[in-house]
Amino acid sequence: MNVVFLGAPGAGKGTQAENVKDHFGLKHISSGDLLRESLKKETDLGLKAKAYMDRGDLVPDEIVFAMIQEKLPAKQGVLFDGFPRNLEQAKQLDQVFSNLEDKIDTVINLDVKEDLVVDRLIARGRKDDNPEVIKNRLDVYRKQTQPLCSYYETQGKLFTIDASESVEQVWDNIKVCLERKHG
Ligand code: AP5
């Protein structure tokens, strides 16, 4: 089972990824976490990514892809969280899986209204959770990431879940969706 989580900043991708990886035994690959770790360790890639992350812009594809590729192939299935983020990344990911004679089989779109995610992010208070940067992250999401819903819908892989409900309810709905798809 190889799964992608799509959804706006604050939709709950990271929160639900913890549940999914434990329950289904998947390897969790979060591009945001990988970038923040690299930044903390002050690696070349991390330092190059910093200014983009501080502004809430997407980090260039080649930097993100280098980090993702280090994690593949995985023995177990994979759960991608925050990746892919644009059409180019989605196509690159499909190519990598095709080279491995494997594929992404389910894409879960965590759908939630913007005013709700702004409240969640402000309450969380990560470095990039301030009103100006959140606004840009949401703009970037709308322009570059949301179009991936049609990309995966065309492939018959997209499942949309209402992510405005409680953490427990959203998790129940994701679990039902993945169990139905994968038996
Ligand atoms: P990234 O780390 O991916 O951040 P993001 O997409 O903005 O996602 P968040 O972590 O803010 O939200 P989430 O959906 O995971 O929600 P969470 O579960 O944490 O990216 C950060 C930056 O890195 C980007 O801006 C970009 O610069 C760069 N980057 C990353 N990936 C990249 C890529 N592929 N290409 C290029 N650049 C990339 O929840 C948020 C809060 O809400 C938490 O406090 C949580 O407790 C709460 N919450 C969650 N669910 C619920 C619920 N159902 N009810 C109430 N509260 C909830």
Side-chain angles (χ1 to χ4, degrees), residues 75-94:
K75 279 192 209 116
Q76 69 272 53
V78 181
L79 168 63
F80 291 98
D81 152 15
F83 181 89
R85 211 66 162 222
N86 60 26
L87 204 51
E88 186 53 37
Q89 292 181 7
K91 288 182 177 167
Q92 279 181 318
L93 187 64
D94 279 349

Side-chain angles (χ1 to χ4, degrees), residues 107-119:
V107 177
I108 306 260
N109 174 35
L110 295 175
D111 184 39
V112 63
K113 290 213 170 56
E114 286 194 3
D115 49 355
L116 192 52
V117 297
V118 173
D119 291 346

Side-chain angles (χ1 to χ4, degrees), residues 8-15 31-32 35-36 52-53 56-59 64 81-83 85 89 120-121 124 126 128 137 163 165-167 170:
K13 302 181 295 293
T15 303
S31 47
L35 285 163
R36 280 183 290 276
Y52 298 92
M53 296 174 76
D57 286 333
L58 292 188
V59 173
V64 177
D81 152 15
F83 181 89
R85 211 66 162 222
Q89 292 181 7
R120 287 184 188 174
L121 294 173
R124 179 179 63 181
R126 202 170 70 193
D128 54 348
R137 286 161 64 198
E165 301 197 63
S166 68
V167 171
V170 175

